[in-house]
Amino acid sequence: MRLAKLLLSACLVPALAFADDAALETAAALRAQALADDTAWNVVESLTTEVGPRLAGSEADARAVAWAQAKFEELGYDRVWIEPVTFPKWERRSESAQVLGVNAQPLLVTALGGSPGGTVEAGIVRFDSLDALKAAPAGSLEGKIAFVDYRMERARDGSGYSHGSAVRGRGPSEAIRKGAVGFLMRSAGTSAHRVANTGITRFDEGLSPVPSAALSLPDADQLARLLAQGPVRVRISLDCGWDGEYTSHNVIGEITGREAPQEVVLLGAHLDSWDLGTGAIDDASGIGITMAAGHLVRQLPQRPRRSIRVVAFANEEQGLLGGREYARRHATDVARHVIAVESDFGAGRIYGFNTSGGESGAVARIAGALAPLGIAQMPGKGGPGPDISPLAAIGGAWAWLGQDGSRYFDLHHNADDTLDKIDPADLAQNAAAYAVFAWLAAESGADFGSKAKAPAAD
Amino acid sequence: MRLAKLLLSACLVPALAFADDAALETAAALRAQALADDTAWNVVESLTTEVGPRLAGSEADARAVAWAQAKFEELGYDRVWIEPVTFPKWERRSESAQVLGVNAQPLLVTALGGSPGGTVEAGIVRFDSLDALKAAPAGSLEGKIAFVDYRMERARDGSGYSHGSAVRGRGPSEAIRKGAVGFLMRSAGTSAHRVANTGITRFDEGLSPVPSAALSLPDADQLARLLAQGPVRVRISLDCGWDGEYTSHNVIGEITGREAPQEVVLLGAHLDSWDLGTGAIDDASGIGITMAAGHLVRQLPQRPRRSIRVVAFANEEQGLLGGREYARRHATDVARHVIAVESDFGAGRIYGFNTSGGESGAVARIAGALAPLGIAQMPGKGGPGPDISPLAAIGGAWAWLGQDGSRYFDLHHNADDTLDKIDPADLAQNAAAYAVFAWLAAESGADFGSKAKAPAAD
């Protein structure tokens, strides 16, 4: 079926087919070269080692921006620039929790991003799920700490996270509505180690925020076992909170297209990280993969027809702030962003490819060039990465290069997100896929379907 | 050869052989029952959950002593008593470290037990090994922090720990001799996670102790990468130290022998733990295995000939204080301790068995009864467990039930030492081995070689 379409397309546009053949030959060479190349690894090592954790708004945020500009220059990008992104700054200073009384012992917690500071001592009321918390009678948590003990499932596509992140995002507000003075949750993660998972939460308007934190999985187990024996009182002490505004930057490197430089194939990842690890798989790996992909195409004898733009987005973690600002700033240029793809799901091997639409022949040609990397075309699967979703919402076409996320939530948003957890061969496979995709999308004249539209009302 | 000896022994003492047959039948029944029994698991769960971390001298030390007395009573031990053990008290209050300057970032550390508190800021000098530190010129670390980056090997028998623990025990003093103001080491452990391994260190007399801490393995990697790029300054802030004396207790439960109650088969483990985890594999598992073994023998229709004494030793972690005190207090009774064995190497399956000597027929009969558990007799292997080593040093016979320690140093002395890391089936295999051993050694009249002697001069 795919072959038939390819043959049909070859018959109808023989001149283009010759060009395509050359482009596919280049893609094959690029693929082989990328698999043997360590640029992505070197970029990830450099960012995670020299900058380390880079919480949006922290001193390290500015160092990361300077690092990214220098790295784009070093990698030979034709144009490098920054675009400001302003957001409220949240800081974490210290955090602790203890079981009180006859079973006194510490519990390993981490504050949820956006939590206020404060110390609360109260009895614990445990819920299996967010729905169970929602079903609690009004006022039933008066003076209590709510504990949502939802167990997130491990899955290749990360599907378990939708429930886990809902507990984190909506749990605190639900608890406050029932009268709770504090909020604890089993981390939205899959690690069996003593690492707790942070991540942004939000408090609904009109509610008074309460200290909100996540327990490591062993600590959640421990608290559940103690609760099975009888009432448990816990003290949570958080020193953290919002403190003014900060202006960071999206950092952008571009390989300028030789024929249609105004048409852009966008590769994205985010530069910020949470502060507990060094942000290796979230998202230095994405920065490494996309910077390396552009660099590899840049090494070819000639630039592709269109431009390749790599965007290192600011502050993804606290609400896609860099991605939203990019879409706002470039709203009138949506159609010129011919297609966008983001790497923000770790460093596991890519197994699937899909796009939001576009000329099926062009998409199939890219899929064919990705297939030797073990990547299958998967119609109907995936979606735009977080930072390109605001662009997609106003009509930008997207591609999805789906990574194996089976281990992603062992590391995501916790202290174990460090360089040693990345397999260099898996990382190179990712860089190869992004290089092949970027090259073929930028060398092609295909329409992938980008067309300015009003964002949906939701 | 072993069979020949068995037949010979059967020919020479036919009456004893009949008694042995009955004892071996009972051992087989005990083995099967123990494999299906969850007493060891329940004991480990109870201690790690209800008491949690129980640093020697802490408030939880007293709770652990009370817990152990109550648990022996609950498990039907005939006699339960305590023996005081007094030692200096060391406390950990807080600990942190940071890289300073252009690569500013936190490093995950934990203070070594016995470290003084204090804050030092200094340049780092890295060494591959303790020997490399020893070889540094006198005065060469003046005003510096020594960093010993020795990588411990993983091994079934835990043999990698001898070097790792030497770095911890002797590294600080060696560093001080060269002028160092602080000491850092790659944790003496094998975990790839963000957990650092504590453990006792000692400062040689005449030296002024300096803040001494261990880095998690990812943090040691990070520091080594930064040092490969150029000089690195680090701040270490420890709030910890010695504070007076404390009196804890060895807690002892005994199954009183029916014929020779003054003869004792001793099963040991230690009740204290480090404070970072809940002391699950170090050494609640040993407490669970030995308490369950005695309990299982207690369930038999009649007591064994000799007594089985289970000792939950106080403060093993800071220098075998409970074991030393036990040997001191019972020094005149060495010969009545017919054999002693200790479980203090986690909860991995037992694969090997050996004794310090004794009648070979009796030892072979025990080995034969352990064989169905996958345990091989291994002449020349093993040694006395830490807390029974002072007893062994004055002539007490010992047995070794060697556990698979391949994963032990992933958890030992760090925050990951929690209940969820124990496999209940492996734990039951351990309890079965201890029950079989205790029963056969206590039911037998064999001489295992205990004989009072003066301790070696070293």
Side-chain angles (χ1 to χ4, degrees):
Chain A
M1 174 67 173
R2 196 186 304 167
L3 181 63
K5 278 193 182 165
L6 269 170
L7 290 172
L8 185 64
S9 120
C11 294
L12 291 175
V13 281
L16 185 59
F18 283 116
D20 280 351
D21 287 347
L24 286 173
E25 276 173 32
T26 299
L30 198 56
R31 195 171 59 220
Q33 192 190 338
L35 288 175
D37 185 85
D38 59 4
T39 303
W41 177 266
N42 291 338
V43 169
V44 176
E45 176 172 337
S46 173
L47 177 56
T48 58
T49 303
E50 294 157 32
V51 181
R54 47 203 177 277
L55 185 69
S58 69
E59 169 273 340
D61 185 322
R63 283 195 286 125
V65 167
W67 172 92
Q69 291 174 273
K71 192 59 70 178
F72 275 128
E73 299 283 1
E74 180 188 328
L75 292 173
Y77 279 72
D78 297 315
R79 285 213 302 147
V80 181
W81 73 98
I82 60 176
E83 296 177 352
V85 183
T86 299
F87 47 80
K89 183 170 79 169
W90 183 82
E91 291 184 325
R92 182 196 316 274
R93 289 172 292 267
S94 71
E95 51 202 12
S96 65
Q98 297 86 33
V99 172
L100 304 172
V102 296
N103 306 120
Q105 55 188 287
L107 293 171
L108 193 153
V109 295
T110 195
L112 302 184
S115 172
T119 296
V120 293
E121 283 189 21
I124 297 283
V125 182
R126 179 183 172 279
F127 300 92
D128 277 330
S129 66
L130 185 61
D131 283 345
L133 169 61
K134 286 182 183 172
S140 63
L141 297 182
E142 212 65 56
K144 304 285 189 184
I145 295 169
F147 166 39
V148 181
D149 196 17
Y150 173 76
R151 289 170 186 271
M152 184 178 142
E153 297 291 330
R154 187 183 296 275
R156 182 172 77 162
D157 66 357
S159 50
Y161 187 56
S162 61
H163 277 81
S165 64
V167 172
R168 191 184 73 221
R170 295 180 356 234
S173 291
E174 295 295 341
I176 294 165
R177 282 200 187 85
K178 311 294 184 182
V181 296
F183 177 81
L184 284 176
M185 65 180 286
R186 174 184 288 267
S187 281
T190 52
S191 173
H193 299 277
R194 294 292 293 288
V195 287
N197 296 38
T198 190
I200 199 74
T201 189
R202 284 175 212 301
F203 298 91
D204 293 348
E205 286 208 20
L207 299 179
S208 290
V210 300
S212 298
L215 293 155
S216 86
L217 271 53
D219 291 83
D221 290 343
Q222 184 82 335
L223 185 53
R225 276 192 298 269
L226 285 167
L227 285 163
Q229 298 193 358
V232 178
R233 281 182 69 80
V234 165
R235 178 194 299 127
I236 307 173
S237 297
L238 307 181
D239 181 8
C240 57
W242 297 103
D243 180 23
E245 286 205 329
Y246 181 86
T247 296
S248 182
H249 296 84
N250 291 332
V251 185
I252 304 172
E254 197 165 272
I255 312 294
T256 307
R258 72 174 187 277
E259 289 183 15
Q262 76 288 0
E263 295 181 17
V264 168
V265 173
L266 189 152
L267 314 183
H270 67 85
L271 186 57
D272 70 310
S273 77
W274 283 106
D275 50 335
L276 304 176
T278 60
I281 61 111
D282 188 16
D283 185 24
S285 52
I287 295 289
I289 290 161
T290 54
M291 279 190 173
H295 170 73
L296 285 158
V297 175
R298 172 69 180 75
Q299 304 303 101
L300 294 172
Q302 62 174 7
R303 307 281 192 284
R305 287 188 60 256
R306 292 160 164 167
S307 293
I308 294 174
R309 181 179 294 182
V310 177
V311 185
F313 289 102
N315 198 351
E316 185 271 348
E317 294 295 2
Q318 298 172 21
L320 322 182
L321 284 309
R324 291 180 203 275
E325 177 59 19
Y326 185 91
R328 194 196 61 74
R329 183 179 291 265
H330 298 272
T332 57
D333 284 335
V334 170
R336 290 185 180 172
H337 287 77
V338 294
I339 192 160
V341 63
E342 180 169 16
S343 175
D344 183 20
F345 197 50
R349 293 183 85 81
I350 297 173
Y351 64 89
F353 169 62
N354 188 26
T355 66
S356 52
E359 295 171 23
S360 60
V363 174
R365 276 191 294 279
I366 296 174
L370 293 171
L373 294 169
I375 299 170
Q377 193 173 3
M378 295 185 162
K381 294 285 184 191
D387 284 305
I388 61 170
S389 63
L391 195 67
I394 55 172
W398 52 261
W400 170 75
L401 285 162
Q403 294 170 293
D404 185 330
S406 304
R407 290 178 56 238
Y408 186 65
F409 292 102
D410 291 348
L411 311 172
H412 173 255
H413 291 196
N414 72 40
D416 264 338
D417 183 6
T418 51
L419 179 64
D420 52 295
K421 307 305 184 299
I422 296 179
D423 180 319
D426 289 354
L427 192 71
Q429 186 255 13
N430 273 265
Y434 273 76
V436 163
F437 169 82
W439 162 253
L440 287 175
E443 183 64 7
S444 124
D447 178 3
F448 291 99
S450 282
K451 188 177 174 192
K453 69 172 186 182
D458 67 358
Chain B
M1 173 68 169
R2 197 185 306 167
L3 182 62
K5 279 193 183 167
L6 270 170
L7 291 172
L8 184 65
S9 121
C11 294
L12 293 175
V13 281
L16 184 62
F18 282 118
D20 280 352
D21 287 348
L24 287 173
E25 275 174 32
T26 300
L30 198 56
R31 196 171 58 220
Q33 193 191 338
L35 288 174
D37 185 84
D38 59 3
T39 303
W41 176 267
N42 291 338
V43 170
V44 176
E45 176 172 337
S46 173
L47 177 56
T48 59
T49 303
E50 294 157 32
V51 180
R54 45 202 180 279
L55 186 68
S58 70
E59 168 272 340
D61 184 323
R63 283 195 284 124
V65 167
W67 172 92
Q69 291 175 272
K71 193 59 70 177
F72 276 127
E73 299 282 1
E74 181 189 327
L75 292 173
Y77 279 72
D78 297 316
R79 286 211 303 145
V80 180
W81 72 98
I82 60 176
E83 297 177 351
V85 183
T86 298
F87 47 80
K89 183 170 80 171
W90 183 82
E91 291 184 326
R92 181 196 317 274
R93 290 172 292 268
S94 70
E95 51 202 13
S96 66
Q98 298 87 33
V99 172
L100 305 173
V102 295
N103 306 119
Q105 55 188 289
L107 293 171
L108 192 153
V109 295
T110 195
L112 302 184
S115 173
T119 296
V120 292
E121 284 188 22
I124 297 283
V125 182
R126 179 183 173 278
F127 300 92
D128 276 330
S129 66
L130 185 60
D131 283 345
L133 170 60
K134 286 181 182 172
S140 63
L141 298 182
E142 212 64 53
K144 303 286 188 184
I145 295 169
F147 166 39
V148 181
D149 196 18
Y150 173 76
R151 290 169 185 271
M152 183 178 142
E153 297 291 330
R154 187 183 294 275
R156 183 174 76 161
D157 66 358
S159 50
Y161 187 56
S162 62
H163 278 80
S165 63
V167 172
R168 192 185 72 223
R170 302 191 337 246
S173 291
E174 295 296 340
I176 293 165
R177 283 203 186 85
K178 311 295 186 184
V181 296
F183 177 81
L184 284 176
M185 65 180 285
R186 175 184 287 266
S187 281
T190 52
S191 173
H193 299 277
R194 295 292 293 288
V195 287
N197 295 36
T198 190
I200 199 74
T201 190
R202 281 175 215 302
F203 298 91
D204 293 348
E205 286 208 22
L207 300 178
S208 289
V210 301
S212 298
L215 293 155
S216 87
L217 272 53
D219 292 80
D221 290 342
Q222 184 82 336
L223 185 52
R225 276 191 298 269
L226 285 166
L227 284 163
Q229 298 192 357
V232 178
R233 281 182 70 79
V234 165
R235 179 193 298 125
I236 307 173
S237 299
L238 307 181
D239 181 7
C240 57
W242 297 103
D243 181 23
E245 286 205 328
Y246 181 86
T247 296
S248 183
H249 296 85
N250 291 331
V251 185
I252 304 172
E254 196 166 272
I255 312 295
T256 307
R258 70 175 190 278
E259 289 182 15
Q262 76 287 0
E263 296 180 16
V264 168
V265 172
L266 189 152
L267 313 183
H270 66 85
L271 186 56
D272 69 310
S273 77
W274 284 106
D275 50 336
L276 303 176
T278 61
I281 60 112
D282 188 18
D283 183 27
S285 52
I287 296 289
I289 290 161
T290 54
M291 279 190 172
H295 170 74
L296 285 158
V297 175
R298 173 69 180 76
Q299 304 303 102
L300 295 172
Q302 60 173 9
R303 307 283 191 281
R305 288 187 62 257
R306 293 162 163 166
S307 293
I308 294 174
R309 181 179 292 182
V310 176
V311 185
F313 289 102
N315 197 350
E316 185 272 346
E317 293 294 4
Q318 297 171 22
L320 323 181
L321 285 309
R324 291 181 202 274
E325 176 59 19
Y326 185 90
R328 195 196 62 74
R329 183 180 291 264
H330 298 273
T332 56
D333 284 336
V334 170
R336 291 184 179 174
H337 287 77
V338 295
I339 193 161
V341 62
E342 181 168 15
S343 175
D344 184 20
F345 197 51
R349 295 182 87 79
I350 297 173
Y351 65 89
F353 169 61
N354 189 25
T355 65
S356 52
E359 297 172 21
S360 59
V363 174
R365 277 190 295 280
I366 296 174
L370 293 170
L373 294 169
I375 299 170
Q377 192 173 1
M378 295 185 164
K381 295 283 183 191
D387 284 304
I388 61 170
S389 63
L391 195 67
I394 54 171
W398 53 260
W400 170 74
L401 284 163
Q403 295 170 293
D404 185 330
S406 306
R407 289 179 56 237
Y408 186 63
F409 292 102
D410 291 348
L411 312 171
H412 172 255
H413 292 193
N414 72 39
D416 262 339
D417 184 6
T418 52
L419 178 64
D420 52 296
K421 307 305 184 299
I422 296 179
D423 181 317
D426 289 352
L427 192 71
Q429 186 257 11
N430 274 266
Y434 273 76
V436 163
F437 169 82
W439 162 253
L440 287 176
E443 184 64 7
S444 124
D447 178 3
F448 292 100
S450 283
K451 189 178 172 191
K453 69 170 185 183
D458 67 356

